[in-house]
mmCIF file of all heavy atoms in Angstrom:
data_model
loop_
_atom_site.group_PDB
_atom_site.id
_atom_site.type_symbol
_atom_site.label_atom_id
_atom_site.label_comp_id
_atom_site.label_asym_id
_atom_site.label_seq_id
_atom_site.Cartn_x
_atom_site.Cartn_y
_atom_site.Cartn_z
ATOM 1 N N MET A 30 -20.220 -40.034 86.442
ATOM 2 C CA MET A 30 -18.766 -39.940 86.520
ATOM 3 C C MET A 30 -18.256 -41.425 86.608
ATOM 4 O O MET A 30 -18.672 -42.200 87.382
ATOM 5 C CB MET A 30 -18.372 -39.170 87.707
ATOM 6 C CG MET A 30 -16.867 -39.153 87.960
ATOM 7 S SD MET A 30 -16.244 -38.324 89.439
ATOM 8 C CE MET A 30 -16.932 -36.724 89.246
ATOM 9 N N THR A 31 -17.253 -41.628 85.796
ATOM 10 C CA THR A 31 -16.682 -42.919 85.827
ATOM 11 C C THR A 31 -15.513 -43.003 86.903
ATOM 12 O O THR A 31 -15.032 -41.979 87.370
ATOM 13 C CB THR A 31 -15.988 -43.265 84.475
ATOM 14 O OG1 THR A 31 -14.932 -42.307 84.205
ATOM 15 C CG2 THR A 31 -17.035 -43.172 83.338
ATOM 16 N N THR A 32 -15.135 -44.217 87.273
ATOM 17 C CA THR A 32 -14.087 -44.400 88.291
ATOM 18 C C THR A 32 -12.758 -43.804 87.819
ATOM 19 O O THR A 32 -12.103 -43.100 88.596
ATOM 20 C CB THR A 32 -13.893 -45.885 88.524
ATOM 21 O OG1 THR A 32 -15.182 -46.414 89.012
ATOM 22 C CG2 THR A 32 -12.895 -46.134 89.654
ATOM 23 N N PRO A 33 -12.325 -43.997 86.559
ATOM 24 C CA PRO A 33 -11.089 -43.370 86.127
ATOM 25 C C PRO A 33 -11.141 -41.848 86.235
ATOM 26 O O PRO A 33 -10.117 -41.211 86.604
ATOM 27 C CB PRO A 33 -10.882 -43.853 84.698
ATOM 28 C CG PRO A 33 -11.610 -45.099 84.554
ATOM 29 C CD PRO A 33 -12.798 -44.913 85.474
ATOM 30 N N LEU A 34 -12.225 -41.246 85.828
ATOM 31 C CA LEU A 34 -12.309 -39.720 85.921
ATOM 32 C C LEU A 34 -12.323 -39.331 87.365
ATOM 33 O O LEU A 34 -11.670 -38.310 87.743
ATOM 34 C CB LEU A 34 -13.655 -39.288 85.279
ATOM 35 C CG LEU A 34 -13.941 -37.769 85.342
ATOM 36 C CD1 LEU A 34 -12.808 -37.036 84.606
ATOM 37 C CD2 LEU A 34 -15.280 -37.477 84.692
ATOM 38 N N PHE A 35 -12.971 -39.971 88.293
ATOM 39 C CA PHE A 35 -12.887 -39.682 89.720
ATOM 40 C C PHE A 35 -11.496 -39.789 90.228
ATOM 41 O O PHE A 35 -11.052 -38.840 90.922
ATOM 42 C CB PHE A 35 -13.822 -40.657 90.528
ATOM 43 C CG PHE A 35 -13.776 -40.466 91.973
ATOM 44 C CD1 PHE A 35 -14.375 -39.360 92.570
ATOM 45 C CD2 PHE A 35 -13.056 -41.323 92.759
ATOM 46 C CE1 PHE A 35 -14.303 -39.139 93.921
ATOM 47 C CE2 PHE A 35 -13.033 -41.160 94.143
ATOM 48 C CZ PHE A 35 -13.646 -40.047 94.721
ATOM 49 N N LEU A 36 -10.771 -40.812 89.907
ATOM 50 C CA LEU A 36 -9.363 -40.961 90.356
ATOM 51 C C LEU A 36 -8.526 -39.922 89.739
ATOM 52 O O LEU A 36 -7.572 -39.404 90.408
ATOM 53 C CB LEU A 36 -8.891 -42.361 90.017
ATOM 54 C CG LEU A 36 -9.627 -43.488 90.829
ATOM 55 C CD1 LEU A 36 -9.116 -44.866 90.354
ATOM 56 C CD2 LEU A 36 -9.362 -43.348 92.357
ATOM 57 N N LEU A 37 -8.696 -39.525 88.530
ATOM 58 C CA LEU A 37 -7.952 -38.423 87.907
ATOM 59 C C LEU A 37 -8.145 -37.164 88.621
ATOM 60 O O LEU A 37 -7.193 -36.406 88.932
ATOM 61 C CB LEU A 37 -8.365 -38.287 86.442
ATOM 62 C CG LEU A 37 -7.723 -37.055 85.710
ATOM 63 C CD1 LEU A 37 -6.208 -37.274 85.637
ATOM 64 C CD2 LEU A 37 -8.336 -36.961 84.346
ATOM 65 N N ARG A 38 -9.409 -36.860 89.029
ATOM 66 C CA ARG A 38 -9.704 -35.651 89.803
ATOM 67 C C ARG A 38 -8.986 -35.673 91.105
ATOM 68 O O ARG A 38 -8.482 -34.655 91.614
ATOM 69 C CB ARG A 38 -11.186 -35.412 89.940
ATOM 70 C CG ARG A 38 -11.841 -34.985 88.648
ATOM 71 C CD ARG A 38 -13.273 -34.667 88.860
ATOM 72 N NE ARG A 38 -13.802 -34.117 87.565
ATOM 73 C CZ ARG A 38 -15.014 -33.811 87.427
ATOM 74 N NH1 ARG A 38 -15.940 -33.955 88.408
ATOM 75 N NH2 ARG A 38 -15.472 -33.319 86.246
ATOM 76 N N CYS A 39 -8.952 -36.810 91.776
ATOM 77 C CA CYS A 39 -8.289 -36.969 93.049
ATOM 78 C C CYS A 39 -6.777 -36.663 92.955
ATOM 79 O O CYS A 39 -6.214 -35.970 93.754
ATOM 80 C CB CYS A 39 -8.488 -38.350 93.602
ATOM 81 S SG CYS A 39 -10.168 -38.691 94.096
ATOM 82 N N VAL A 40 -6.187 -37.177 91.832
ATOM 83 C CA VAL A 40 -4.769 -36.881 91.579
ATOM 84 C C VAL A 40 -4.522 -35.423 91.288
ATOM 85 O O VAL A 40 -3.559 -34.815 91.802
ATOM 86 C CB VAL A 40 -4.243 -37.768 90.477
ATOM 87 C CG1 VAL A 40 -2.866 -37.336 89.963
ATOM 88 C CG2 VAL A 40 -4.273 -39.248 90.828
ATOM 89 N N GLN A 41 -5.441 -34.795 90.532
ATOM 90 C CA GLN A 41 -5.283 -33.373 90.200
ATOM 91 C C GLN A 41 -5.402 -32.538 91.487
ATOM 92 O O GLN A 41 -4.669 -31.507 91.584
ATOM 93 C CB GLN A 41 -6.322 -32.926 89.175
ATOM 94 C CG GLN A 41 -6.088 -33.511 87.783
ATOM 95 C CD GLN A 41 -7.227 -33.264 86.875
ATOM 96 O OE1 GLN A 41 -8.390 -33.174 87.295
ATOM 97 N NE2 GLN A 41 -6.919 -33.154 85.571
ATOM 98 N N ILE A 42 -6.225 -32.900 92.408
ATOM 99 C CA ILE A 42 -6.360 -32.179 93.641
ATOM 100 C C ILE A 42 -5.182 -32.463 94.561
ATOM 101 O O ILE A 42 -4.812 -31.591 95.366
ATOM 102 C CB ILE A 42 -7.703 -32.541 94.360
ATOM 103 C CG1 ILE A 42 -8.901 -32.103 93.519
ATOM 104 C CG2 ILE A 42 -7.787 -31.947 95.758
ATOM 105 C CD1 ILE A 42 -10.231 -32.692 93.997
ATOM 106 N N GLY A 43 -4.635 -33.570 94.466
ATOM 107 C CA GLY A 43 -3.445 -33.985 95.303
ATOM 108 C C GLY A 43 -3.858 -34.866 96.466
ATOM 109 O O GLY A 43 -3.157 -34.934 97.484
ATOM 110 N N LEU A 44 -4.961 -35.590 96.298
ATOM 111 C CA LEU A 44 -5.413 -36.480 97.444
ATOM 112 C C LEU A 44 -4.732 -37.815 97.341
ATOM 113 O O LEU A 44 -4.442 -38.319 96.248
ATOM 114 C CB LEU A 44 -6.920 -36.706 97.274
ATOM 115 C CG LEU A 44 -7.793 -35.479 97.485
ATOM 116 C CD1 LEU A 44 -9.187 -35.849 97.213
ATOM 117 C CD2 LEU A 44 -7.640 -34.913 98.853
ATOM 118 N N SER A 45 -4.458 -38.401 98.529
ATOM 119 C CA SER A 45 -3.883 -39.761 98.524
ATOM 120 C C SER A 45 -4.977 -40.736 98.722
ATOM 121 O O SER A 45 -6.111 -40.406 99.099
ATOM 122 C CB SER A 45 -2.831 -39.806 99.675
ATOM 123 O OG SER A 45 -3.550 -39.720 100.906
ATOM 124 N N ILE A 46 -4.680 -41.992 98.505
ATOM 125 C CA ILE A 46 -5.638 -43.090 98.712
ATOM 126 C C ILE A 46 -6.174 -43.140 100.088
ATOM 127 O O ILE A 46 -7.362 -43.326 100.323
ATOM 128 C CB ILE A 46 -5.014 -44.445 98.295
ATOM 129 C CG1 ILE A 46 -4.693 -44.454 96.773
ATOM 130 C CG2 ILE A 46 -5.950 -45.604 98.596
ATOM 131 C CD1 ILE A 46 -5.904 -44.341 95.849
ATOM 132 N N SER A 47 -5.256 -42.933 101.076
ATOM 133 C CA SER A 47 -5.701 -42.961 102.478
ATOM 134 C C SER A 47 -6.666 -41.816 102.827
ATOM 135 O O SER A 47 -7.567 -41.999 103.686
ATOM 136 C CB SER A 47 -4.537 -42.986 103.416
ATOM 137 O OG SER A 47 -3.800 -41.807 103.211
ATOM 138 N N GLU A 48 -6.556 -40.696 102.173
ATOM 139 C CA GLU A 48 -7.447 -39.567 102.425
ATOM 140 C C GLU A 48 -8.852 -39.852 101.849
ATOM 141 O O GLU A 48 -9.856 -39.283 102.308
ATOM 142 C CB GLU A 48 -6.885 -38.290 101.806
ATOM 143 C CG GLU A 48 -5.686 -37.819 102.496
ATOM 144 C CD GLU A 48 -5.034 -36.597 101.815
ATOM 145 O OE1 GLU A 48 -4.945 -36.616 100.574
ATOM 146 O OE2 GLU A 48 -4.606 -35.692 102.531
ATOM 147 N N LEU A 49 -8.907 -40.739 100.792
ATOM 148 C CA LEU A 49 -10.255 -41.028 100.190
ATOM 149 C C LEU A 49 -11.142 -41.767 101.183
ATOM 150 O O LEU A 49 -12.344 -41.716 100.990
ATOM 151 C CB LEU A 49 -10.029 -41.800 98.926
ATOM 152 C CG LEU A 49 -9.412 -41.002 97.788
ATOM 153 C CD1 LEU A 49 -9.279 -41.952 96.555
ATOM 154 C CD2 LEU A 49 -10.177 -39.791 97.438
ATOM 155 N N ASP A 50 -10.596 -42.416 102.161
ATOM 156 C CA ASP A 50 -11.378 -43.112 103.210
ATOM 157 C C ASP A 50 -12.194 -42.102 103.967
ATOM 158 O O ASP A 50 -13.263 -42.428 104.521
ATOM 159 C CB ASP A 50 -10.543 -43.919 104.172
ATOM 160 C CG ASP A 50 -9.979 -45.141 103.535
ATOM 161 O OD1 ASP A 50 -10.576 -45.631 102.489
ATOM 162 O OD2 ASP A 50 -8.993 -45.687 104.029
ATOM 163 N N LEU A 51 -11.726 -40.834 104.073
ATOM 164 C CA LEU A 51 -12.365 -39.830 104.888
ATOM 165 C C LEU A 51 -13.311 -38.904 104.120
ATOM 166 O O LEU A 51 -14.003 -38.118 104.724
ATOM 167 C CB LEU A 51 -11.264 -38.983 105.545
ATOM 168 C CG LEU A 51 -10.182 -39.695 106.343
ATOM 169 C CD1 LEU A 51 -9.080 -38.751 106.771
ATOM 170 C CD2 LEU A 51 -10.805 -40.447 107.559
ATOM 171 N N LEU A 52 -13.333 -38.960 102.806
ATOM 172 C CA LEU A 52 -14.072 -38.108 101.914
ATOM 173 C C LEU A 52 -15.182 -38.798 101.142
ATOM 174 O O LEU A 52 -14.992 -39.953 100.792
ATOM 175 C CB LEU A 52 -13.081 -37.385 100.979
ATOM 176 C CG LEU A 52 -11.969 -36.605 101.577
ATOM 177 C CD1 LEU A 52 -11.037 -36.090 100.482
ATOM 178 C CD2 LEU A 52 -12.547 -35.393 102.369
ATOM 179 N N THR A 53 -16.196 -38.081 100.813
ATOM 180 C CA THR A 53 -17.216 -38.624 99.913
ATOM 181 C C THR A 53 -16.965 -38.190 98.515
ATOM 182 O O THR A 53 -16.177 -37.253 98.236
ATOM 183 C CB THR A 53 -18.629 -38.135 100.355
ATOM 184 O OG1 THR A 53 -18.625 -36.700 100.185
ATOM 185 C CG2 THR A 53 -18.944 -38.475 101.812
ATOM 186 N N ILE A 54 -17.665 -38.741 97.574
ATOM 187 C CA ILE A 54 -17.551 -38.352 96.170
ATOM 188 C C ILE A 54 -17.965 -36.910 96.004
ATOM 189 O O ILE A 54 -17.290 -36.163 95.243
ATOM 190 C CB ILE A 54 -18.330 -39.280 95.227
ATOM 191 C CG1 ILE A 54 -17.814 -40.665 95.316
ATOM 192 C CG2 ILE A 54 -18.421 -38.742 93.842
ATOM 193 C CD1 ILE A 54 -18.653 -41.687 94.592
ATOM 194 N N GLY A 55 -19.024 -36.470 96.680
ATOM 195 C CA GLY A 55 -19.449 -35.121 96.618
ATOM 196 C C GLY A 55 -18.437 -34.102 97.111
ATOM 197 O O GLY A 55 -18.219 -33.037 96.530
ATOM 198 N N THR A 56 -17.700 -34.478 98.231
ATOM 199 C CA THR A 56 -16.665 -33.598 98.708
ATOM 200 C C THR A 56 -15.552 -33.453 97.734
ATOM 201 O O THR A 56 -15.041 -32.370 97.534
ATOM 202 C CB THR A 56 -16.112 -34.181 100.032
ATOM 203 O OG1 THR A 56 -17.202 -34.333 100.983
ATOM 204 C CG2 THR A 56 -15.125 -33.206 100.688
ATOM 205 N N VAL A 57 -15.168 -34.544 97.104
ATOM 206 C CA VAL A 57 -14.074 -34.444 96.099
ATOM 207 C C VAL A 57 -14.516 -33.592 94.935
ATOM 208 O O VAL A 57 -13.733 -32.770 94.466
ATOM 209 C CB VAL A 57 -13.732 -35.885 95.659
ATOM 210 C CG1 VAL A 57 -12.704 -35.835 94.445
ATOM 211 C CG2 VAL A 57 -13.092 -36.658 96.799
ATOM 212 N N ASN A 58 -15.829 -33.740 94.518
ATOM 213 C CA ASN A 58 -16.307 -32.884 93.411
ATOM 214 C C ASN A 58 -16.283 -31.424 93.826
ATOM 215 O O ASN A 58 -15.960 -30.561 93.005
ATOM 216 C CB ASN A 58 -17.646 -33.309 92.993
ATOM 217 C CG ASN A 58 -17.668 -34.645 92.133
ATOM 218 O OD1 ASN A 58 -16.702 -34.926 91.586
ATOM 219 N ND2 ASN A 58 -18.823 -35.320 92.186
ATOM 220 N N ASP A 59 -16.659 -31.150 95.015
ATOM 221 C CA ASP A 59 -16.646 -29.750 95.515
ATOM 222 C C ASP A 59 -15.253 -29.150 95.555
ATOM 223 O O ASP A 59 -15.020 -28.012 95.177
ATOM 224 C CB ASP A 59 -17.299 -29.620 96.922
ATOM 225 C CG ASP A 59 -18.806 -29.828 96.892
ATOM 226 O OD1 ASP A 59 -19.436 -29.738 95.793
ATOM 227 O OD2 ASP A 59 -19.411 -30.103 97.964
ATOM 228 N N MET A 60 -14.352 -29.986 96.029
ATOM 229 C CA MET A 60 -12.974 -29.588 96.037
ATOM 230 C C MET A 60 -12.388 -29.305 94.660
ATOM 231 O O MET A 60 -11.626 -28.345 94.481
ATOM 232 C CB MET A 60 -12.104 -30.643 96.814
ATOM 233 C CG MET A 60 -12.328 -30.804 98.247
ATOM 234 S SD MET A 60 -11.525 -32.217 99.011
ATOM 235 C CE MET A 60 -9.810 -31.708 98.931
ATOM 236 N N TYR A 61 -12.764 -30.098 93.736
ATOM 237 C CA TYR A 61 -12.348 -29.912 92.360
ATOM 238 C C TYR A 61 -12.934 -28.631 91.777
ATOM 239 O O TYR A 61 -12.203 -27.875 91.077
ATOM 240 C CB TYR A 61 -12.710 -31.080 91.515
ATOM 241 C CG TYR A 61 -12.211 -31.020 90.085
ATOM 242 C CD1 TYR A 61 -10.913 -31.309 89.728
ATOM 243 C CD2 TYR A 61 -13.081 -30.681 89.068
ATOM 244 C CE1 TYR A 61 -10.467 -31.255 88.457
ATOM 245 C CE2 TYR A 61 -12.632 -30.586 87.727
ATOM 246 C CZ TYR A 61 -11.319 -30.906 87.439
ATOM 247 O OH TYR A 61 -10.877 -30.810 86.177
ATOM 248 N N ALA A 62 -14.194 -28.364 92.015
ATOM 249 C CA ALA A 62 -14.806 -27.129 91.544
ATOM 250 C C ALA A 62 -14.150 -25.920 92.151
ATOM 251 O O ALA A 62 -13.865 -24.929 91.518
ATOM 252 C CB ALA A 62 -16.285 -27.191 91.801
ATOM 253 N N GLU A 63 -13.888 -25.930 93.422
ATOM 254 C CA GLU A 63 -13.241 -24.820 94.095
ATOM 255 C C GLU A 63 -11.756 -24.671 93.616
ATOM 256 O O GLU A 63 -11.306 -23.529 93.519
ATOM 257 C CB GLU A 63 -13.233 -24.997 95.638
ATOM 258 C CG GLU A 63 -14.558 -24.837 96.252
ATOM 259 C CD GLU A 63 -15.196 -23.472 96.028
ATOM 260 O OE1 GLU A 63 -14.437 -22.497 96.032
ATOM 261 O OE2 GLU A 63 -16.348 -23.344 95.849
ATOM 262 N N MET A 64 -11.115 -25.732 93.274
ATOM 263 C CA MET A 64 -9.756 -25.632 92.751
ATOM 264 C C MET A 64 -9.743 -24.827 91.471
ATOM 265 O O MET A 64 -8.833 -24.011 91.193
ATOM 266 C CB MET A 64 -9.155 -26.979 92.543
ATOM 267 C CG MET A 64 -7.736 -27.025 92.036
ATOM 268 S SD MET A 64 -7.088 -28.598 91.533
ATOM 269 C CE MET A 64 -8.014 -28.857 90.038
ATOM 270 N N SER A 65 -10.737 -25.043 90.619
ATOM 271 C CA SER A 65 -10.796 -24.310 89.370
ATOM 272 C C SER A 65 -11.157 -22.835 89.551
ATOM 273 O O SER A 65 -10.872 -22.006 88.627
ATOM 274 C CB SER A 65 -11.769 -24.913 88.356
ATOM 275 O OG SER A 65 -13.056 -25.032 88.902
ATOM 276 N N ASN A 66 -11.672 -22.464 90.695
ATOM 277 C CA ASN A 66 -11.948 -21.049 91.026
ATOM 278 C C ASN A 66 -10.753 -20.317 91.634
ATOM 279 O O ASN A 66 -10.790 -19.121 91.817
ATOM 280 C CB ASN A 66 -13.117 -20.963 92.042
ATOM 281 C CG ASN A 66 -14.439 -21.322 91.391
ATOM 282 O OD1 ASN A 66 -14.612 -21.283 90.218
ATOM 283 N ND2 ASN A 66 -15.361 -21.671 92.228
ATOM 284 N N ASP A 67 -9.699 -21.036 92.005
ATOM 285 C CA ASP A 67 -8.598 -20.408 92.677
ATOM 286 C C ASP A 67 -7.858 -19.348 91.835
ATOM 287 O O ASP A 67 -7.334 -18.414 92.362
ATOM 288 C CB ASP A 67 -7.520 -21.477 93.029
ATOM 289 C CG ASP A 67 -8.003 -22.320 94.212
ATOM 290 O OD1 ASP A 67 -8.955 -21.932 94.903
ATOM 291 O OD2 ASP A 67 -7.379 -23.346 94.422
ATOM 292 N N ASP A 68 -7.873 -19.476 90.519
ATOM 293 C CA ASP A 68 -7.214 -18.508 89.621
ATOM 294 C C ASP A 68 -8.110 -17.331 89.254
ATOM 295 O O ASP A 68 -7.680 -16.426 88.523
ATOM 296 C CB ASP A 68 -6.704 -19.212 88.371
ATOM 297 C CG ASP A 68 -5.684 -20.256 88.690
ATOM 298 O OD1 ASP A 68 -4.947 -20.015 89.712
ATOM 299 O OD2 ASP A 68 -5.531 -21.211 87.939
ATOM 300 N N TRP A 69 -9.367 -17.327 89.673
ATOM 301 C CA TRP A 69 -10.322 -16.283 89.299
ATOM 302 C C TRP A 69 -9.938 -14.961 89.979
ATOM 303 O O TRP A 69 -9.624 -14.932 91.146
ATOM 304 C CB TRP A 69 -11.714 -16.728 89.662
ATOM 305 C CG TRP A 69 -12.754 -15.654 89.284
ATOM 306 C CD1 TRP A 69 -13.400 -14.818 90.088
ATOM 307 C CD2 TRP A 69 -13.249 -15.462 88.013
ATOM 308 N NE1 TRP A 69 -14.232 -14.013 89.439
ATOM 309 C CE2 TRP A 69 -14.201 -14.396 88.099
ATOM 310 C CE3 TRP A 69 -13.067 -16.057 86.755
ATOM 311 C CZ2 TRP A 69 -14.912 -13.925 87.056
ATOM 312 C CZ3 TRP A 69 -13.782 -15.546 85.699
ATOM 313 C CH2 TRP A 69 -14.637 -14.545 85.824
ATOM 314 N N ASP A 70 -9.855 -13.897 89.217
ATOM 315 C CA ASP A 70 -9.542 -12.598 89.766
ATOM 316 C C ASP A 70 -10.862 -11.904 90.134
ATOM 317 O O ASP A 70 -11.580 -11.372 89.231
ATOM 318 C CB ASP A 70 -8.754 -11.788 88.745
ATOM 319 C CG ASP A 70 -8.303 -10.460 89.327
ATOM 320 O OD1 ASP A 70 -8.133 -10.383 90.533
ATOM 321 O OD2 ASP A 70 -8.109 -9.529 88.543
ATOM 322 N N TYR A 71 -11.251 -11.907 91.375
ATOM 323 C CA TYR A 71 -12.454 -11.297 91.817
ATOM 324 C C TYR A 71 -12.379 -9.804 91.712
ATOM 325 O O TYR A 71 -11.403 -9.161 92.173
ATOM 326 C CB TYR A 71 -12.765 -11.715 93.242
ATOM 327 C CG TYR A 71 -13.148 -13.205 93.330
ATOM 328 C CD1 TYR A 71 -12.137 -14.085 93.708
ATOM 329 C CD2 TYR A 71 -14.413 -13.674 92.990
ATOM 330 C CE1 TYR A 71 -12.453 -15.470 93.791
ATOM 331 C CE2 TYR A 71 -14.670 -15.022 93.078
ATOM 332 C CZ TYR A 71 -13.700 -15.882 93.473
ATOM 333 O OH TYR A 71 -13.994 -17.225 93.509
ATOM 334 N N PRO A 72 -13.411 -9.096 91.149
ATOM 335 C CA PRO A 72 -13.376 -7.646 90.995
ATOM 336 C C PRO A 72 -13.355 -6.899 92.337
ATOM 337 O O PRO A 72 -12.816 -5.800 92.452
ATOM 338 C CB PRO A 72 -14.581 -7.336 90.201
ATOM 339 C CG PRO A 72 -15.505 -8.474 90.356
ATOM 340 C CD PRO A 72 -14.645 -9.679 90.666
ATOM 341 N N GLU A 73 -14.011 -7.453 93.349
ATOM 342 C CA GLU A 73 -14.004 -6.806 94.684
ATOM 343 C C GLU A 73 -13.967 -7.905 95.735
ATOM 344 O O GLU A 73 -14.702 -8.846 95.668
ATOM 345 C CB GLU A 73 -15.280 -5.996 94.857
ATOM 346 C CG GLU A 73 -15.405 -5.220 96.111
ATOM 347 C CD GLU A 73 -16.623 -4.360 96.245
ATOM 348 O OE1 GLU A 73 -17.404 -4.316 95.269
ATOM 349 O OE2 GLU A 73 -16.813 -3.759 97.246
ATOM 350 N N ILE A 74 -13.087 -7.682 96.717
ATOM 351 C CA ILE A 74 -12.965 -8.628 97.784
ATOM 352 C C ILE A 74 -13.472 -7.954 99.055
ATOM 353 O O ILE A 74 -13.201 -6.817 99.353
ATOM 354 C CB ILE A 74 -11.487 -9.078 98.005
ATOM 355 C CG1 ILE A 74 -10.997 -9.791 96.686
ATOM 356 C CG2 ILE A 74 -11.323 -9.922 99.208
ATOM 357 C CD1 ILE A 74 -9.535 -10.143 96.762
ATOM 358 N N ALA A 75 -14.310 -8.662 99.784
ATOM 359 C CA ALA A 75 -15.000 -8.110 100.977
ATOM 360 C C ALA A 75 -13.954 -7.770 102.080
ATOM 361 O O ALA A 75 -13.004 -8.536 102.273
ATOM 362 C CB ALA A 75 -16.003 -9.064 101.521
ATOM 363 N N THR A 76 -14.198 -6.701 102.702
ATOM 364 C CA THR A 76 -13.297 -6.257 103.795
ATOM 365 C C THR A 76 -14.039 -6.629 105.104
ATOM 366 O O THR A 76 -15.219 -7.041 105.145
ATOM 367 C CB THR A 76 -13.092 -4.774 103.835
ATOM 368 O OG1 THR A 76 -14.318 -4.055 103.978
ATOM 369 C CG2 THR A 76 -12.410 -4.348 102.497
ATOM 370 N N GLN A 77 -13.394 -6.455 106.204
ATOM 371 C CA GLN A 77 -13.933 -6.797 107.506
ATOM 372 C C GLN A 77 -15.158 -5.852 107.755
ATOM 373 O O GLN A 77 -16.151 -6.254 108.350
ATOM 374 C CB GLN A 77 -12.952 -6.650 108.699
ATOM 375 C CG GLN A 77 -13.504 -7.002 109.991
ATOM 376 C CD GLN A 77 -13.946 -8.530 110.000
ATOM 377 O OE1 GLN A 77 -13.210 -9.358 109.606
ATOM 378 N NE2 GLN A 77 -15.146 -8.778 110.543
ATOM 379 N N GLU A 78 -15.003 -4.565 107.389
ATOM 380 C CA GLU A 78 -16.154 -3.619 107.563
ATOM 381 C C GLU A 78 -17.406 -4.081 106.779
ATOM 382 O O GLU A 78 -18.477 -3.995 107.329
ATOM 383 C CB GLU A 78 -15.689 -2.248 107.064
ATOM 384 C CG GLU A 78 -16.753 -1.190 107.271
ATOM 385 C CD GLU A 78 -16.348 0.155 106.703
ATOM 386 O OE1 GLU A 78 -15.122 0.437 106.687
ATOM 387 O OE2 GLU A 78 -17.194 0.940 106.357
ATOM 388 N N MET A 79 -17.191 -4.585 105.559
ATOM 389 C CA MET A 79 -18.325 -5.078 104.794
ATOM 390 C C MET A 79 -18.994 -6.257 105.463
ATOM 391 O O MET A 79 -20.234 -6.416 105.490
ATOM 392 C CB MET A 79 -17.853 -5.482 103.392
ATOM 393 C CG MET A 79 -17.462 -4.380 102.511
ATOM 394 S SD MET A 79 -16.715 -5.045 101.064
ATOM 395 C CE MET A 79 -17.018 -3.800 99.866
ATOM 396 N N MET A 80 -18.178 -7.155 106.011
ATOM 397 C CA MET A 80 -18.703 -8.360 106.706
ATOM 398 C C MET A 80 -19.423 -7.919 107.976
ATOM 399 O O MET A 80 -20.476 -8.525 108.286
ATOM 400 C CB MET A 80 -17.568 -9.327 107.090
ATOM 401 C CG MET A 80 -16.906 -9.924 105.806
ATOM 402 S SD MET A 80 -18.049 -10.773 104.745
ATOM 403 C CE MET A 80 -18.481 -12.160 105.727
ATOM 404 N N ASP A 81 -18.974 -6.914 108.686
ATOM 405 C CA ASP A 81 -19.644 -6.435 109.905
ATOM 406 C C ASP A 81 -21.019 -5.865 109.558
ATOM 407 O O ASP A 81 -21.975 -6.047 110.283
ATOM 408 C CB ASP A 81 -18.816 -5.410 110.623
ATOM 409 C CG ASP A 81 -17.544 -6.047 111.189
ATOM 410 O OD1 ASP A 81 -17.522 -7.243 111.396
ATOM 411 O OD2 ASP A 81 -16.616 -5.191 111.484
ATOM 412 N N ARG A 82 -21.078 -5.136 108.451
ATOM 413 C CA ARG A 82 -22.380 -4.532 108.003
ATOM 414 C C ARG A 82 -23.353 -5.625 107.537
ATOM 415 O O ARG A 82 -24.545 -5.495 107.704
ATOM 416 C CB ARG A 82 -22.147 -3.555 106.899
ATOM 417 C CG ARG A 82 -21.614 -2.227 107.364
ATOM 418 C CD ARG A 82 -21.533 -1.230 106.210
ATOM 419 N NE ARG A 82 -20.611 -1.805 105.226
ATOM 420 C CZ ARG A 82 -20.341 -1.248 104.050
ATOM 421 N NH1 ARG A 82 -20.851 -0.084 103.692
ATOM 422 N NH2 ARG A 82 -19.505 -1.829 103.214
ATOM 423 N N PHE A 83 -22.781 -6.680 107.001
ATOM 424 C CA PHE A 83 -23.647 -7.801 106.541
ATOM 425 C C PHE A 83 -24.357 -8.433 107.710
ATOM 426 O O PHE A 83 -25.496 -8.718 107.702
ATOM 427 C CB PHE A 83 -22.761 -8.808 105.781
ATOM 428 C CG PHE A 83 -23.532 -10.034 105.295
ATOM 429 C CD1 PHE A 83 -24.445 -9.917 104.263
ATOM 430 C CD2 PHE A 83 -23.366 -11.242 105.877
ATOM 431 C CE1 PHE A 83 -25.092 -11.018 103.739
ATOM 432 C CE2 PHE A 83 -24.014 -12.389 105.444
ATOM 433 C CZ PHE A 83 -24.874 -12.286 104.378
#
């Protein structure tokens, strides 16, 4: 990953320069991957009862 691509991802996530002092590159990549999952329509969402059985 290049520096411009990393900074673009930070802007897309909404991170500020001061927040980058607290995060690693891996954390930013994970946040970016999770951001792209936000619009996914999950077919089934776990209930509390399902979690208790788990």
